[in-house]
Amino acid sequence: SEEELKALDRWEGAPAAYLRREMQFVKEDGSRVSAFTYLGNKTGSFLPSRMYLERILRGARERGLPQHYIEKLEQARCRV
């Protein structure tokens, strides 16, 4: 619903940090489906949420990314 999309926009920081766009995607079977995605808004500098940064860190550790990269992520600033 439009109300749910507006709530998702607030959660994602749209339109200040991200722009919501409806896009068409092609599934493996060749059929098309519409979906919303959020694209970075290059109008400013925005910090990731703590939750998002923690997910990125978890994935970096699970995938064995280089320690220097993980340390850089650990030092990244985020919004609360």
Side-chain angles (χ1 to χ4, degrees), residues 3-57:
E3 187 175 304
E4 291 169 319
L5 285 173
K6 287 180 182 179
L8 187 57
D9 285 348
R10 285 190 300 276
W11 173 259
E12 294 293 343
Y18 295 95
L19 302 172
R20 176 175 31 109
R21 293 292 183 257
E22 185 172 9
M23 301 182 74
Q24 296 288 316
F25 297 91
V26 179
K27 296 169 48 174
E28 287 183 8
D29 66 5
S31 63
R32 294 183 178 271
V33 63
S34 293
F36 289 106
T37 188
Y38 286 87
L39 305 173
N41 185 350
K42 296 182 181 184
T43 61
S45 176
F46 302 96
L47 298 174
S49 68
R50 167 59 55 193
M51 183 178 72
Y52 180 77
L53 188 55
E54 287 173 357
R55 286 182 181 174
I56 298 299
L57 272 165

